[in-house]
């Protein structure tokens, strides 16, 4: 923990035109979580005293997404320093550490942001800390010019670099720590005498040094400071996030048979000794207990899977699905807003929605709960130890009692008492020799047509 209070200013006013989207850029998800919310989550362990998100005037959706964080509007958009100053009313009187970052850098880690805050409490008592990185190709990034003792002397934009400076591999990530005691005064002095007429946050380094204040750097990983400004970079960020989530899952005791084919969500929770086969997708809100086996090509979202359950292959668990211990959900089975109790089996080609399946019950292939009447959803109860024959339709609301048996091919619209047998079938009719006569007649007609 830092000794000084921390405030966070997240710059999210960019229009994101290269995303070609009606959705504000920072609301595009990475691992199922909007980029801006991922950053707020990353900062949460630092317990910021104030968090301010700077938005564009028409970004009501962004302001709603980041609540209860404070927001400020940058209007017009006149550069990064101007954006930070848009948060002035929330920073007045704050004398702690201000962390400034961008809403389109969803891969930042808690460790790096702690390092930034820690650098601001170093012996040099810096006015500014700048996050740097070393890309494989420095390209047109601004360079961080440091002295022999590691102090930051200047940030030089690529177009202004001389040949020696262009050979510097340490580049500016744009993320800064500022001393709240002097930040606003320094920001107010930044001018806009440049080709774009904008106020650049990078100019604060020269101003702080001119006043005799130290500036320092923190080195981060090139991957985590990647900004997302188009769909290609969004996909690249998703790949990184997925790799991290897979590595975390395996480090915590899960087996991923083919990790690259498993897709996680930011809040997926797997227990120990879980086995996940290839091509499994986890949507939001999935918790999996210990010793669960999830077979290939299954999709889980909003589901709670208890210890020792078995899922799939080709199973779909939708929101509200609760699969209790040792229960089995098999191939091409869909479960929605239903509890499958311990030891129950729904193994083949079934839909179980708005239902409860009791302990040790068996639901046969092709069974569906008819839960929707065109206006409302209704509940189906299948009792403990009940047996539902294949290709049955249970028309909700309906209760199948404990130990009851439903004959295959039945449509059940009334309650079935405990231990009863219920079935609905038309009487079977047989016509002796009809099939042979049918075949002979057809073959005769086929022969005549051929002539």
């Amino acid at each position: 923990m830092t000794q000084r209070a921390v405030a966070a200013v997240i710059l999210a006013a960019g229009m994101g035109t290269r995303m070609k989207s009606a959705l504000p850029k920072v609301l595009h998800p990475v691992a199922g979580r909007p980029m801006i919310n991922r950053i707020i989550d990353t900062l949460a362990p630092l317990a910021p005293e104030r968090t301010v998100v700077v938005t564009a005037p028409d970004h009501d959706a962004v302001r709603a997404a980041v609540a209860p964080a404070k927001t400020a509007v940058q209007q017009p958009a006149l550069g990064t320093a101007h954006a930070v100053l848009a948060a002035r009313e929330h920073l007045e009187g704050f004398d702690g550490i201000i962390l400034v970052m961008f809403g389109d850098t969803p891969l930042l880690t808690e460790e790096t942001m702690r390092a930034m805050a820690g650098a601001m409490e170093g012996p040099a008592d810096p006015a500014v800390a700048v996050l740097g990185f070393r890309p494989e190709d420095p390209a047109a990034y601004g360079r961080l010019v440091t002295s022999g003792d590691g102090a930051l002397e200047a940030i030089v934009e690529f177009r202004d670099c001389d040949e020696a400076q262009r050979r510097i591999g340490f580049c500016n990530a744009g993320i800064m720590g500022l001393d709240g005691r002097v930040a606003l005064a320094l920001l107010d002095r930044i001018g806009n005498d440049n080709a774009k007429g904008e106020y650049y946050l990078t100019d604060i380094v020269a101003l702080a040094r001119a006043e005799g204040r130290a500036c320092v750097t923190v080195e981060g990983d090139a991957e985590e400071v990647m900004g997302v400004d188009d769909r290609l970079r969004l996909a690249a960020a998703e790949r990184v996030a997925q790799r991290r989530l897979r590595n975390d899952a395996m480090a915590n005791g899960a087996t991923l048979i083919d990790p690259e084919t498993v897709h996680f969500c930011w809040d997926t929770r797997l227990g120990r000794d879980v086995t996940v086969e290839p091509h499994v997708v986890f949507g939001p809100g999935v918790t999996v207990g210990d010793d669960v086996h999830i077979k290939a090509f299954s999709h889980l979202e909003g589901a709670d899977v208890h210890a020792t359950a078995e899922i799939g292959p080709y199973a779909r668990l939708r929101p509200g699905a609760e699969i209790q211990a040792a229960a089995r959900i098999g191939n091409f089975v869909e479960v929605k807003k239903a509890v499958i109790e311990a030891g129950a089996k729904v193994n083949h080609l079934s839909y179980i929605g708005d239902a409860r399946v009791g302990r040790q019950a068996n639901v046969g292939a092709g069974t569906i709960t008819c839960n929707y009447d065109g206006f409302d959803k209704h509940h189906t109860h299948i009792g403990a130890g009940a047996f539902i024959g294949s290709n049955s339709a249970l028309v909700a609301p309906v209760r199948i009692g404990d130990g009851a048996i439903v004959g295959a091919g039945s449509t059940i619209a009334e309650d079935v008492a405990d231990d009863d047998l219920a079935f609905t079938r038309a009487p079977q009719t047989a016509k002796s020799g009809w099939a042979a006569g049918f075949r002979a007649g057809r073959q005769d007609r086929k022969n005549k047509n051929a002539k």
Side-chain angles (χ1 to χ4, degrees):
M1 294 292 293
T2 59
Q3 298 299 311
R4 298 170 64 189
V6 172
V9 178
I10 306 172
L11 307 185
M15 301 309 294
T17 54
R18 282 179 282 184
M19 297 294 288
K20 302 292 193 296
S21 175
L23 186 70
K25 176 173 66 172
V26 297
L27 294 185
H28 283 264
V30 172
R33 186 78 161 149
M35 290 191 282
I36 188 72
N37 295 99
R38 288 179 62 90
I39 295 171
I40 292 173
D41 291 345
T42 296
L43 291 169
L46 278 69
E49 185 178 295
R50 311 176 190 191
T51 298
V52 188
V53 179
V54 179
T55 72
D58 59 347
H59 281 182
D60 293 340
V62 177
R63 290 186 281 276
V66 302
K70 304 295 184 183
T71 58
V73 175
Q74 184 188 19
Q75 175 64 17
L78 296 176
T80 48
H82 181 260
V84 178
L85 281 172
R88 180 192 292 275
E89 66 173 299
H90 302 293
L91 299 176
E92 293 280 6
F94 181 76
D95 61 1
I97 299 164
I98 301 172
L99 297 176
V100 180
M101 63 214 72
F102 296 92
D104 63 355
T105 52
L107 301 175
L108 282 174
T109 64
E110 174 192 339
E111 292 74 18
T112 293
M113 298 317 298
R114 284 194 184 278
M116 289 289 290
M120 292 297 298
E121 293 185 316
D125 187 28
V128 180
V130 176
L131 183 62
F133 69 112
R134 298 182 186 275
E136 289 185 10
D137 178 10
Y141 292 109
R143 303 306 202 260
L144 299 183
V145 181
T146 57
S147 62
D149 60 1
L152 177 62
E153 295 184 342
I155 301 176
V156 184
E157 295 302 322
F158 177 78
R159 63 180 177 273
D160 298 322
C161 288
D162 58 32
E163 285 303 314
Q165 290 168 336
R166 289 189 178 188
R167 288 194 294 270
I168 295 172
F170 196 31
C171 298
N172 177 31
I175 295 158
M176 290 192 181
L178 306 177
D179 182 352
R181 294 169 295 191
V182 298
L184 292 178
L186 290 172
L187 288 165
D188 281 334
R189 291 173 53 201
I190 293 176
N192 65 341
D193 185 16
N194 53 64
K196 290 188 176 182
E198 294 186 352
Y199 300 86
Y200 295 134
L201 185 58
T202 50
D203 290 349
I204 200 170
V205 171
L207 291 172
R209 286 181 58 82
E211 292 193 355
R213 293 294 304 274
C215 298
V216 299
T217 63
V218 171
E219 185 168 340
D221 183 76
E223 190 175 72
E224 72 173 289
V225 301
M226 178 177 63
V228 173
D229 54 11
D230 59 27
R231 306 283 183 153
L232 293 175
R233 299 297 286 272
L234 183 65
E238 185 70 37
R239 287 192 293 272
V240 173
Q242 289 299 323
R243 189 184 71 241
R244 290 179 180 177
L245 291 168
R246 293 166 190 144
N247 290 346
D248 286 347
M250 291 185 286
N252 288 309
T255 294
L256 309 184
I257 293 176
D258 187 1
E260 295 300 314
T261 68
V262 178
H263 187 93
F264 285 106
C265 197
W266 67 280
D267 61 349
T268 305
R269 298 290 179 267
L270 301 184
R272 291 197 310 172
D273 295 314
V274 171
T275 298
V276 182
E277 293 186 4
H279 301 288
V280 172
V281 175
F282 294 94
V286 177
T287 300
V288 178
D290 295 345
D291 297 296
V292 169
H293 190 166
I294 302 175
K295 296 185 178 181
F297 293 98
S298 295
H299 187 287
L300 297 79
E301 179 178 355
D304 184 9
V305 182
H306 295 205
T308 68
E310 185 176 298
I311 309 298
Y314 294 96
R316 185 181 182 196
L317 303 186
R318 292 173 58 193
E322 180 185 346
I323 314 302
Q324 294 187 356
R328 291 175 59 183
I329 305 298
N331 52 292
F332 301 103
V333 172
E334 179 178 346
V335 180
K336 187 271 299 180
K337 199 177 179 182
V339 177
I340 313 300
E341 293 187 351
K345 300 176 183 178
V346 189
N347 273 333
H348 319 281
L349 302 159
S350 295
Y351 169 71
I352 306 297
D354 294 276
R356 186 173 195 92
V357 178
R359 296 173 63 89
Q360 302 296 326
N362 187 93
V363 177
T367 296
I368 63 170
T369 57
C370 307
N371 56 329
Y372 184 51
D373 62 8
F375 296 93
D376 297 301
K377 298 290 181 72
H378 301 281
H379 191 265
T380 297
H381 176 90
I382 298 172
F387 182 93
I388 311 300
S390 296
N391 200 34
S392 295
L394 308 180
V395 183
V398 69
R399 183 184 189 281
I400 311 300
D402 293 350
I405 296 176
V406 172
S410 296
T411 298
I412 302 298
E414 297 179 3
D415 289 354
V416 179
D418 293 355
D419 295 316
D420 275 8
L421 166 66
F423 61 92
T424 59
R425 293 177 185 161
Q428 184 168 314
T429 300
K431 295 183 178 182
S432 179
W434 184 93
F438 171 78
R439 288 191 295 272
R442 288 287 179 157
Q443 186 62 49
D444 184 57
R445 186 168 68 179
K446 184 175 181 181
N447 293 340
K448 289 177 180 180
N449 288 339
K451 292 178 180 179

